[in-house]
Amino acid sequence: MSSNRKSVFSGDSRSEKPKDGEAGDFSGPIKPIGTHDVSSGLSIGDPRSKKAKGDALVSSPSLTKPSGNRGVSSGVSIGSPNSKNPSGPIIQTTKTSVSSGVRSKAAVSSGVRGKAIVSANVGRVMSFKDVKFGPHESELRFRLIHFWEARNVRTKLLIGLEMLLIDQEETIIQGFIPAGRMDTYLPHMRTGGIYRLHNFFGSNNKTLYRVSEPSVTITFSSTSVLSDLEDSSVCFPEDRFRFYGYEEFNAACDLKGDLYDYVGHIKLVNGQVLNDSLVVDEAEIASTRRVLLHVQTHDGPVMKMYLQDKAASDFGERFKASGGTASVILVTTLNPKRYGGALCLSSMASSRIFMDSDVQATRDYLNWLNSNLDVAKRVDADVVTKTETVTIGELFSYMKQADAKVVAWFECIATIGDVVHGSGWYYIGCGGCHTKATKGPTTLMCKKCGKSDIVGVAQYLAKISVYDNNDQAVFVLLGDSGHELSGKKASELVESYFEANEDEGSDHLVPVPQALIDTIGQTRKFIVKVSTHNLTGKTQTLTVTKVLTPEDPDIGVNLEESDGERVKRAAENIEGEEPKRAKCG
């Protein structure tokens, strides 16, 4: 905060704090301000260690732990696969060292609007754990960890500003500024800033999607006065994480309760294996505002993690800044849900993203990962691809659900009734990434790879009509799924046709091959994806990512690493186009 601004602000709106709401982040920089002075006893690097009962606090040895806090655990494993019926989250605290006298700047109060008053001699200092329901004239001193806009889930109406605060005793509490008072305080707030607050109301904390444990929320009232705490002899922690592992998230699934944090390593990004050649499509993230990760803590089960809205864009920016090499991720305040029969973690408006060396917890985990590279390369395919078997009617019902906001994969056993004729059954994609090729003046180009001269390869994009006992649907075969059904690669079929019909031009529409027609009447197990287009009602055509025979035991494979999954984005935009002849090479 610049020195020419008044550092104490107050508001006089009479609006009340809502029970709940969702938000878009308004906090600015994600990384905490200040230098880290952390001694992490949290054994992120040892998945065999046992967890202490209750919350494990990890603190700097240079600071005395306040009485009444729960014990320090020095060998706690985050997300240990051996943990059974856990009794609480693992908590890690990051601290800074600041030491000098207490001093505050001049204040502007709502009662004396625009006039400076001295606010050094305010009421007694209260700790967060002593805050009860009702009005308070005491003073609070805290660090502002994070803040974000709260909006009504359905109407998107701005409700106010939610905050995550931490005091000198390492207690985390939620704060709230009603929408009518935001303009008074928001321009002068910064992530990581240390403040003092005089006069506030202790409101009842919401019961759904809580980000802190206390039963009260610090609500700014009409008499509240906020000021910078310039110097302090007390050390205020920079952050505090409450980690859950697979077992804990699974137990809390769909309960809409407290939101906990996760740390682990990335296995897949939007279905692509994490490697040096992985390129995150920022344009797609900006368009869909969603990223799907597969993550794992130590050698535990692999989970799906959906990053949405700002969390998705923050991930894209941070991953790009790392040069595509980031492997460790920490995401705060995740909501565990079950989609398609599998446990998934979904980001919230309050979620923050940290990677690799951002904070002590990610640095500790990165050290462990570098010493256990064999774990990073191993995938528990049963968890990655766990799907639920449904009927066609149940697929349509899922697409119509009001809360079905997340892309999901399902197994569906159906019989092929026909192959759709009269439209292209393939497209020409980049030989490297399989994205649809763009036709240049004399060559084929790939926007994703950035190459102006590529070798085009025919990829399946075929529509089939399927049915079960009660319903009928249209499935689209992409990439390898068409090969798995017909037994022939699209490139082989296209090449064979043009060899037999040399007089046909490159723009000629190749008729549906006999290899696909011969599949009519077959009953197969299809792995289908319910996409964003399905959820928004734009189409009921479902994408097939893998085809199996009903008795095929090969379910434990990585469905989302298939060629069909890698071409899904391009195919969704080219279903009505006629395919072009591939460039030979």
Side-chain angles (χ1 to χ4, degrees):
M1 188 177 299
S2 61
S3 59
N4 60 343
R5 291 180 179 171
K6 291 171 178 152
S7 62
V8 183
F9 309 92
S10 63
D12 54 8
S13 174
R14 301 289 177 181
S15 57
E16 297 296 328
K17 182 184 184 306
K19 293 296 181 182
D20 63 80
E22 283 198 20
D25 195 324
F26 202 95
S27 62
I30 294 178
K31 190 169 183 179
I33 295 174
T35 57
H36 298 285
D37 180 13
V38 184
S39 174
S40 174
L42 184 66
S43 179
I44 297 177
D46 185 5
R48 295 183 298 276
S49 59
K50 302 296 182 181
K51 185 194 305 185
K53 290 184 178 180
D55 295 345
L57 296 178
V58 183
S59 308
S60 170
S62 62
L63 300 172
T64 302
K65 183 174 175 57
S67 60
N69 278 13
R70 283 171 254 190
V72 176
S73 173
S74 60
V76 182
S77 167
I78 292 180
S80 169
N82 298 323
S83 61
K84 301 294 182 181
N85 193 24
S87 55
I90 298 169
I91 297 180
Q92 181 173 10
T93 306
T94 302
K95 294 188 175 182
T96 56
S97 297
V98 181
S99 181
S100 63
V102 177
R103 187 170 77 242
S104 177
K105 292 183 181 180
V108 176
S109 72
S110 57
V112 190
R113 189 171 299 277
K115 297 181 180 180
I117 63 173
V118 177
S119 61
N121 298 318
V122 292
R124 72 180 182 89
V125 177
M126 176 183 286
S127 63
F128 284 167
K129 66 181 181 181
D130 295 326
V131 177
K132 308 297 182 184
F133 177 83
H136 294 268
E137 294 183 355
S138 301
E139 176 179 311
L140 297 176
R141 296 178 180 178
F142 55 84
R143 183 186 295 276
L144 174 59
I145 295 177
H146 183 49
F147 55 94
W148 62 98
E149 287 182 343
R151 293 184 179 273
N152 183 281
V153 177
R154 293 179 176 82
T155 66
K156 304 305 179 183
L157 180 68
L158 179 64
I159 299 171
L161 193 73
E162 294 191 275
M163 301 171 287
L164 193 62
L165 316 174
I166 188 167
D167 68 5
Q168 66 186 67
E169 296 183 356
E170 303 178 11
T171 302
I172 291 282
I173 201 167
Q174 191 162 349
F176 180 78
I177 302 176
R181 302 184 187 122
M182 284 175 56
D183 288 345
T184 300
Y185 302 100
L186 184 57
H188 313 281
M189 296 169 59
R190 68 186 188 279
T191 299
I194 300 176
Y195 299 95
R196 59 197 303 180
L197 176 67
H198 182 230
N199 291 339
F200 60 93
F201 192 90
S203 304
N204 287 325
N205 199 354
K206 58 187 180 182
T207 58
L208 301 179
Y209 305 126
R210 297 195 315 171
V211 299
S212 63
E213 297 169 2
S215 59
V216 294
T217 292
I218 305 298
T219 300
F220 284 36
S221 65
S222 60
T223 60
S224 293
V225 179
L226 180 71
S227 64
D228 282 311
L229 185 59
E230 288 191 301
D231 298 300
S232 175
S233 58
V234 178
C235 294
F236 289 86
E238 285 196 351
D239 216 327
R240 187 168 182 252
F241 302 110
R242 306 187 301 165
F243 292 113
Y244 259 15
Y246 179 86
E247 296 290 342
E248 297 94 334
F249 277 122
N250 193 50
C253 191
D254 293 318
L255 297 182
K256 300 180 180 179
D258 284 18
L259 304 175
Y260 289 89
D261 311 326
Y262 174 87
V263 65
H265 58 279
I266 303 170
K267 309 294 289 189
L268 304 172
V269 179
N270 283 339
Q272 301 180 73
V273 179
L274 194 67
N275 54 46
D276 294 338
S277 62
L278 175 61
V279 178
V280 174
D281 192 335
E282 290 185 277
E284 182 196 9
I285 294 176
S287 173
T288 64
R289 298 185 66 80
R290 182 180 291 113
V291 174
L292 169 61
L293 304 178
H294 283 79
V295 295
Q296 181 182 31
T297 298
H298 298 132
D299 58 353
V302 175
M303 293 184 285
K304 291 180 180 179
M305 179 184 290
Y306 291 92
L307 303 180
Q308 304 179 74
D309 300 323
K310 192 173 188 303
S313 60
D314 286 345
F315 171 81
E317 292 173 4
R318 286 176 173 270
F319 192 82
K320 181 180 179 180
S322 74
T325 62
S327 56
V328 174
I329 188 167
L330 188 162
V331 184
T332 67
T333 59
L334 288 162
N335 181 27
K337 297 181 71 67
R338 200 170 301 282
Y339 290 108
L343 172 64
C344 303
L345 304 179
S346 181
S347 69
M348 303 290 283
S350 55
S351 296
R352 294 174 290 151
I353 308 291
F354 301 94
M355 304 185 77
D356 281 6
S357 299
D358 285 346
V359 293
Q360 190 62 44
T362 54
R363 289 193 290 270
D364 289 344
Y365 193 95
L366 183 61
N367 290 336
W368 176 86
L369 188 64
N370 289 335
S371 301
N372 296 270
L373 295 178
D374 58 319
V375 174
K377 298 176 181 178
R378 190 167 63 241
V379 176
D380 185 347
D382 289 334
V383 176
V384 171
T385 62
K386 185 176 181 181
T387 52
E388 180 181 356
T389 301
V390 297
T391 65
I392 293 175
E394 289 171 333
L395 282 173
F396 290 148
S397 295
Y398 176 80
M399 289 156 56
K400 294 177 182 178
Q401 289 177 13
D403 61 346
K405 299 178 180 179
V406 177
V407 173
W409 284 259
F410 297 92
E411 292 179 5
C412 182
I413 298 175
T415 301
I416 301 170
D418 197 5
V419 179
V420 178
H421 294 257
S423 63
W425 59 271
Y426 71 97
Y427 74 98
I428 303 303
C430 171
C433 67
H434 296 187
T435 300
K436 182 197 172 187
T438 302
K439 189 174 182 180
T442 57
T443 62
L444 292 177
M445 303 180 294
C446 177
K447 292 181 179 179
K448 184 174 182 180
C449 294
K451 297 179 180 179
S452 58
D453 188 4
I454 63 170
V455 175
V457 178
Q459 299 287 344
Y460 275 103
L461 178 60
K463 290 183 179 180
I464 58 173
S465 175
V466 299
Y467 62 93
D468 58 13
N469 292 333
N470 300 301
D471 296 281
Q472 185 178 14
V474 175
F475 288 173
V476 176
L477 301 168
L478 289 177
D480 281 354
S481 63
H483 181 195
E484 291 159 354
L485 178 63
S486 68
K488 298 284 187 179
K489 290 184 177 181
S491 57
E492 295 175 357
L493 295 172
V494 172
E495 185 177 354
S496 296
Y497 177 84
F498 280 111
E499 286 179 353
N501 299 271
E502 295 181 353
D503 294 336
E504 301 290 355
S506 60
D507 291 337
H508 177 72
L509 178 63
V510 178
V512 175
Q514 189 64 38
L516 278 178
I517 296 174
D518 290 342
T519 65
I520 296 174
Q522 295 182 14
T523 299
R524 294 295 193 99
K525 180 182 291 184
F526 299 92
I527 308 300
V528 297
K529 173 193 172 186
V530 178
S531 70
T532 303
H533 291 299
N534 299 132
L535 297 175
T536 56
K538 292 182 178 179
T539 179
Q540 287 193 320
T541 300
L542 293 159
T543 300
V544 177
T545 60
K546 193 168 184 64
V547 181
L548 305 167
T549 56
E551 67 278 2
D552 196 330
D554 185 23
I555 301 301
V557 295
N558 194 341
L559 309 179
E560 294 168 66
E561 286 185 65
S562 68
D563 287 341
E565 184 62 14
R566 288 198 296 270
V567 301
K568 64 185 182 296
R569 293 186 295 275
E572 285 172 349
N573 296 322
I574 60 175
E575 291 182 4
E577 297 183 14
E578 293 185 1
K580 306 299 182 182
R581 187 172 186 173
K583 175 183 174 181
C584 298

